[in-house]
Amino acid sequence: MAFSLRRSSSTADITTNTTIPSPMSTPGSLKQIIMWENAADPSTHLAQHLLVILSSVSERSGVTSTTATSPPNKLVRAIAPPSPQTPGEVLLPQQRGTLNNDKTPISSPGFRAEGYIPFPRLKYPSVSRQLDFSSITLQQQQQQQQDDVALPVADPVFLVQGSSFHDAYKNNGGVTTTHIRVDSRHDSVFPPGQISSGHADLVSCHHSSLVGLYDVVDGLRPGGVLLIACPWGDVNDMETTVPKLVKRNIARKQAKLCTINLPAVVAELGLMKVDSKVRFDSAPKAYQHVLLGATLFLTGLLDSFTSTVGSKLVRVEELDMLRRVKEHIIHVPYPSSWADLLLEEGDVHHLPSFVSCTLMPGGANREHVANGGNVTTVQSTTTAGVIDQHKGVRSLSWYHACWAMMFPEAMGTRRAAHPHIPNTHLLKITENRRLTPASYDRNVFHMEMKAEENATEEKGEGEVAIQSTSSLPSPDEGGSRDQSRRGKFHYDVGEALGVHGHNDVEECRRFLSWYGLAEGDLVALPIPGSSVSSNEEVQMRSVLQVFVQYMDIFGRPNKRFYEGLAAYATDATQHEKLVLLAGKEGVEEFKKRVDETATYADVLHEFPSAHPTLSQLLDLVPVILPRHYSIASSIKAHPNSVHLLIVTNDWKTPSGRYRIGQCTRYLQDLKPNTTIVASIKPSVMVLPSSHEAPVVMAGLGTGMAPFRAFIEERAHMRRQGHKVGPMALYFGSRSRHSEYLYGEEIDEYHRDGLLTHVGLAFSRDQAEKIYIQHKITQDQVAMDDLLSKRGGHFYLCGPTWPAGDVQDAIVKSFQQCGGMQASEANDYIKRMKKEGRYVLEVY
């Protein structure tokens, strides 16, 4: 069955549907309604009123009585009721009827009563519960009044269940969404929470401002009805008020778009005229009456209501007015081209499709969130606030984080800098000093960092809080969980420091603005490799933090990214190009992009019709990996401190575009007292176990870092009275004046005798290029003595290119001074490598 509606007079290229099928006429017994309401506008507070009305329709055993100040007599039961002590949870009061002396119900205009909201909305700004509205007989009602006990409930015609979610801070007064299920089988019990995305038969938006704040269409099933209470009469009225994203979603779901102008309908029906048979004493009551009529009509419940309990609950004149409301619902045809709208820069690319409660839901559905500073984590079992859920990604409200911030022990949280990486540490920058002249084209800088065990508690920077409901203390246990997060900071000489770099904040903000994501929204992400199964541990970050600290959005994409992105491209040409780049035919084009250092963000800009959601992007784009730098210090010489030697990694692409490495850009501008997250990585650069073993070190540029640590370690051991063996250092760079890294220290150690030999090779200080292999060739006698005759260790750190020439120089020293044949000398090098005495760390 279909109902004819008023049609907009717009003559644009519009869809041809002129009737709207009642959702209740579609196959299946379950019908679902979503209502969006502006809490600051009481005239549109219909949802709770409607729940009472629908529960009246479910009457099977006769009509119970009502008064002007209470809903129809219903025993309202909460499924799995929460504890009365749970904050924010209020069970609906059991309403009792008023009977005449002859035990018959008093007739009264029940649904015109003020409020009809079963719980105080603003006093309890967050409500998330499921209700079972069922009727009871008058005999049962009277018995309950006498015994004050709950009795079995008569079978209803419909099972009506509702869940409300309220955000007290949105839209200047708050936003509420109510999800209502009506099942004619009356034997279904649904889990608490929202209607699944894309399953609602009717979405009723009671304030036009909400259309620009939320994706109200997300919950609607294909072909469902979207009703907006507003004065819009055709698509021209929506040109600037409705975001392109919402228009596109309306068209792609082939939704039936309807509007109703509440003030105009109230005026036309004369609902507030003094001489009218049906007169409401306030506009809010009249508006609710109109919305009730529209909702009952569009859901197919109007006839059921007016022919059964409605005739006993309201006057005949009011029932007639409810029937007449349908004549004033305007069907707004829209252009079919809405489905192909492209979102451009400046357009909204994403809107939330749910309301996040501002108080923590209670009972089994409470949501635990904790904030640990830069980033946070949350353990959530609630069904509220789920958006674009994809492999465990959820969108959440910032209000919940406050609870864990205020009550960390009660929430059972733990902290970790990067929960998916073990043994991370918070390090505070104490020095960041450039070593090369400002006029020099290479920025080589020295950093010093100090580990402070209390840095997190004092500064709240860098760490996340991790939570699992399985590890929460029981209410009667008390106490707190072990809050230890990491071992004491320690590293061995030669190890590397993995720095967890960040993307540039302003660059991320520009991308988010273009992509249409709100940087302040919070999302809960699964922890990679989490071992928690029954109660999954998740981390919560703001959207900006996801892009700055977590997602490698400015990294280099591989072919799998192009292939995955192609699935989201709505433009045929762009889809074809992405498929080409992912295949064998696009090898040359792909190589050009690699040469240009195209990033994930660049590709998304190039193919704007491919617009994955945030959760889908997290599946396509990898996380930021730590960048490892050889540690340039000995912890014995610098207790609780670590030093790095870093060169800024920047270049120009073939097209002349400037590029810079993600981590060096992050590090080069850090100021003292800034906290970073780092982890220790073992290395092959290990000093001999014997302090007396000879050591030959060859470092090029920043490859000097581990050898500074070696020298400091041996210097410390000598100060402690230990005898140390000979140390020879070969260092190479471009210029002594500009790039003699740690030159003053090297010269001092040489004068002191710790460095028994120093060979310096500055390639550009003379006409003929001189490299470290040339210096080694000049010292053949020393090489043969230290490495062959005395069984010393050789180390090379730096670029890959000189490794072969350096080995040839050492082989020649064995031949010239040790009397080995070429094959014997090469075999000896192989033996040194096998014994761990010939170590290369090249890149």
Side-chain angles (χ1 to χ4, degrees):
M1 179 174 63
F3 300 89
S4 298
L5 300 176
R6 287 176 56 181
R7 181 188 173 105
S8 166
S9 59
S10 172
T11 58
D13 173 26
I14 55 178
T15 54
T16 57
N17 300 313
T18 57
T19 61
I20 294 185
S22 166
M24 297 304 291
S25 67
T26 59
S29 61
L30 176 62
K31 305 303 170 185
Q32 308 189 80
I33 307 166
I34 298 177
M35 290 192 168
W36 291 84
E37 301 173 336
N38 179 12
D41 184 2
S43 65
T44 61
H45 290 177
L46 176 66
Q48 302 301 325
H49 185 191
L50 179 64
L51 283 171
V52 176
I53 294 298
L54 292 179
S55 64
S56 300
V57 178
S58 70
E59 198 79 43
R60 174 176 287 182
S61 55
V63 180
T64 56
S65 61
T66 184
T67 68
T69 59
S70 65
N73 288 297
K74 295 293 167 188
L75 173 62
V76 182
R77 299 181 290 120
I79 297 178
S83 166
Q85 286 79 28
T86 303
E89 290 289 349
V90 182
L91 295 180
L92 301 188
Q94 297 177 2
Q95 303 293 340
R96 296 185 170 88
T98 302
L99 303 178
N100 290 322
N101 292 333
D102 58 358
K103 304 300 182 182
T104 59
I106 294 177
S107 175
S108 78
F111 68 86
R112 278 185 55 196
E114 175 104 21
Y116 270 81
I117 301 173
F119 46 84
R121 187 180 303 270
L122 296 181
K123 184 176 180 182
Y124 299 93
S126 163
V127 181
S128 175
R129 69 169 63 78
Q130 176 158 338
L131 305 175
D132 175 14
F133 290 81
S134 304
S135 61
I136 59 176
T137 63
L138 285 176
Q139 182 180 358
Q140 290 172 327
Q141 181 76 17
Q142 294 166 3
Q143 183 66 41
Q144 182 183 342
Q145 290 176 341
Q146 295 173 5
D147 300 340
D148 198 25
V149 295
L151 298 178
V153 180
D155 290 339
V157 175
F158 297 119
L159 177 67
V160 182
Q161 295 173 295
S163 296
S164 290
F165 308 92
H166 182 75
D167 185 337
Y169 300 101
K170 286 281 188 179
N171 206 35
N172 296 323
V175 176
T176 301
T177 180
T178 302
H179 295 233
I180 302 171
R181 298 178 176 91
V182 182
D183 192 350
S184 60
R185 292 176 304 189
H186 69 268
D187 60 357
S188 299
V189 176
F190 306 101
Q194 296 178 307
I195 293 171
S196 300
S197 175
H199 285 75
D201 299 285
L202 169 67
V203 172
S204 182
C205 187
H206 298 170
H207 202 280
S208 59
S209 64
L210 301 180
V211 179
L213 293 177
Y214 295 90
D215 184 4
V216 296
V217 190
D218 179 73
L220 194 65
R221 67 168 174 80
V225 180
L226 174 62
L227 175 67
I228 305 174
C230 63
W232 305 333
D234 56 44
V235 292
N236 295 326
D237 296 331
M238 305 180 185
E239 189 63 33
T240 58
T241 52
V242 179
K244 283 184 182 180
L245 174 67
V246 177
K247 293 178 185 176
R248 187 174 69 179
N249 291 347
I250 290 173
R252 290 183 178 180
K253 288 200 172 185
Q254 297 183 336
K256 308 302 186 292
L257 178 59
C258 300
T259 63
I260 187 164
N261 188 339
L262 296 179
V265 176
V266 168
E268 289 187 41
L269 295 180
L271 298 183
M272 295 187 66
K273 289 184 178 179
V274 177
D275 57 349
S276 173
K277 293 182 179 180
V278 179
R279 178 177 180 271
F280 293 91
D281 56 9
S282 68
K285 294 179 182 179
Y287 292 165
Q288 286 184 355
H289 189 74
V290 173
L291 283 172
L292 176 63
T295 303
L296 292 173
F297 166 69
L298 291 173
T299 54
L301 290 174
L302 183 60
D303 290 341
S304 299
F305 176 78
T306 56
S307 63
T308 55
V309 295
S311 59
K312 303 293 181 68
L313 295 176
V314 298
R315 296 194 298 266
V316 174
E317 294 84 353
E318 293 181 6
L319 290 175
D320 181 61
M321 287 298 178
L322 286 177
R323 295 187 186 98
R324 290 180 57 190
V325 167
K326 67 182 181 182
E327 302 169 4
H328 299 274
I329 300 174
I330 299 175
H331 173 218
V332 181
Y334 49 82
S336 58
S337 58
W338 274 10
D340 301 317
L341 287 174
L342 292 179
L343 304 181
E344 302 170 349
E345 188 170 358
D347 290 331
V348 175
H349 286 251
H350 177 77
L351 289 172
S353 56
F354 69 96
V355 165
S356 295
C357 299
T358 51
L359 284 183
M360 190 171 298
N365 300 308
R366 64 179 175 175
E367 180 175 76
H368 306 285
V369 184
N371 188 319
N374 277 349
V375 286
T376 55
T377 66
V378 53
Q379 165 60 34
S380 172
T381 56
T382 184
T383 56
V386 179
I387 181 172
D388 289 333
Q389 186 163 335
H390 181 72
K391 294 190 176 181
V393 178
R394 300 185 183 101
S395 185
L396 299 168
S397 172
W398 64 267
Y399 325 122
H400 299 105
C402 297
W403 287 81
M405 292 173 64
M406 293 185 291
F407 312 110
E409 291 188 6
M411 295 301 167
T413 59
R414 65 181 178 90
R415 294 180 176 181
H418 277 266
H420 59 292
I421 300 177
N423 300 322
T424 52
H425 303 271
L426 294 180
L427 305 177
K428 182 183 290 185
I429 307 297
T430 56
E431 183 177 350
N432 189 348
R433 170 169 50 93
R434 178 166 178 150
L435 300 181
T436 55
S439 58
Y440 192 55
D441 62 353
R442 301 184 75 200
N443 177 19
V444 181
F445 54 101
H446 169 82
M447 296 191 73
E448 297 183 10
M449 289 152 278
K450 184 178 181 181
E452 294 188 354
E453 295 303 316
N454 296 324
T456 301
E457 288 77 1
E458 294 173 357
K459 295 295 183 182
E461 298 180 10
E463 288 197 325
V464 301
I466 305 168
Q467 192 159 27
S468 171
T469 54
S470 63
S471 56
L472 289 176
S474 61
D476 55 349
E477 259 184 329
S480 63
R481 295 181 56 197
D482 180 12
Q483 295 296 313
S484 62
R485 306 173 304 281
R486 58 183 182 271
K488 184 177 180 180
F489 179 69
H490 177 80
Y491 61 89
D492 292 322
V493 170
E495 290 189 321
L497 188 74
V499 176
H500 299 262
H502 294 175
N503 289 319
D504 182 72
V505 174
E506 292 308 316
E507 192 172 3
C508 288
R509 283 197 167 113
R510 288 192 294 270
F511 177 83
L512 291 175
S513 176
W514 170 80
Y515 205 71
L517 292 175
E519 65 177 63
D521 287 351
L522 295 184
V523 291
L525 314 176
I527 298 172
S530 174
S531 60
V532 180
S533 55
S534 58
N535 289 280
E536 179 190 7
E537 285 189 326
V538 291
Q539 53 184 324
M540 191 175 76
R541 305 171 182 257
S542 72
V543 170
L544 180 61
Q545 288 168 341
V546 169
F547 282 83
V548 171
Q549 302 171 351
Y550 189 77
M551 186 191 297
D552 195 15
I553 192 67
F554 301 112
R556 301 184 185 185
N558 54 26
K559 286 196 171 186
R560 287 192 300 274
F561 175 73
Y562 290 90
E563 181 181 6
L565 189 63
Y568 300 100
T570 57
D571 180 84
T573 302
Q574 293 182 17
H575 174 81
E576 182 179 351
K577 183 68 173 293
L578 285 166
V579 171
L580 175 71
L581 287 166
K584 294 181 180 179
E585 297 81 2
V587 171
E588 290 301 321
E589 181 68 22
F590 179 79
K591 185 177 182 302
K592 292 179 182 178
R593 294 165 184 273
V594 173
D595 294 339
E596 283 294 316
T597 326
T599 66
Y600 293 98
D602 291 334
V603 176
L604 290 167
H605 275 283
E606 185 180 356
F607 301 97
S609 77
H611 198 88
T613 63
L614 174 57
S615 56
Q616 291 162 346
L617 265 184
L618 285 164
D619 194 35
L620 291 172
V621 182
V623 299
I624 297 173
L625 297 176
R627 171 71 165 85
H628 292 96
Y629 299 94
S630 295
I631 294 175
S633 58
S634 165
I635 200 168
K636 294 176 182 177
H638 308 280
N640 213 34
S641 182
V642 60
H643 300 179
L644 297 181
L645 178 63
I646 303 169
V647 60
T648 298
N649 181 26
D650 58 353
W651 66 96
K652 284 192 175 181
T653 67
S655 67
R657 186 175 183 182
Y658 177 76
R659 294 290 198 182
I660 183 171
Q662 180 253 6
C663 201
T664 51
R665 175 170 65 176
Y666 166 65
L667 291 174
Q668 69 179 4
D669 296 324
L670 290 182
K671 306 299 182 185
N673 295 320
T674 304
T675 304
I676 69 169
V677 179
S679 53
I680 303 298
K681 179 186 178 183
S683 171
V684 295
M685 305 290 283
V686 181
L687 268 176
S689 57
S690 171
H691 304 310
E692 298 182 31
V695 171
V696 178
M697 304 165 288
L700 289 83
T702 54
M704 176 63 196
F707 304 134
R708 181 176 185 260
F710 283 12
I711 296 168
E712 288 188 345
E713 181 83 359
R714 284 275 176 99
H716 173 79
M717 299 307 295
R718 192 169 69 166
R719 286 194 296 269
Q720 298 301 312
H722 296 279
K723 184 179 179 181
V724 297
M727 301 185 77
L729 173 67
Y730 292 90
F731 174 75
S733 67
R734 295 178 181 179
S735 168
R736 185 185 187 107
H737 170 73
S738 300
E739 209 171 342
Y740 186 16
L741 307 177
Y742 301 125
E744 293 182 359
E745 295 181 16
I746 293 172
D747 293 342
E748 181 61 31
Y749 285 126
H750 191 201
R751 286 192 295 268
D752 188 49
L754 181 67
L755 287 177
T756 55
H757 179 76
V758 173
L760 303 176
F762 300 106
S763 61
R764 301 186 183 182
D765 280 356
Q766 60 284 314
E768 182 182 357
K769 296 292 181 66
I770 297 178
Y771 300 109
I772 59 171
Q773 58 265 35
H774 300 134
K775 292 295 182 178
I776 292 174
T777 301
Q778 294 173 6
D779 297 329
Q780 290 181 346
V781 174
M783 288 298 100
D784 180 64
D785 178 59
L786 294 174
L787 299 180
S788 176
K789 292 183 173 60
R790 301 175 63 178
H793 292 240
F794 176 81
Y795 303 88
L796 171 66
C797 184
T800 304
W801 63 267
D805 293 334
V806 169
Q807 180 171 319
D808 290 342
I810 295 175
V811 167
K812 288 180 180 179
S813 72
F814 294 161
Q815 291 177 271
Q816 298 293 329
C817 302
M820 296 184 187
Q821 299 295 320
S823 59
E824 292 177 321
N826 282 297
D827 287 342
Y828 187 76
I829 294 289
K830 292 178 182 178
R831 195 174 91 189
M832 289 180 65
K833 291 180 179 180
K834 187 175 181 180
E835 294 172 350
R837 295 194 297 117
Y838 193 102
V839 181
L840 304 181
E841 188 171 273
V842 293
Y843 39 84

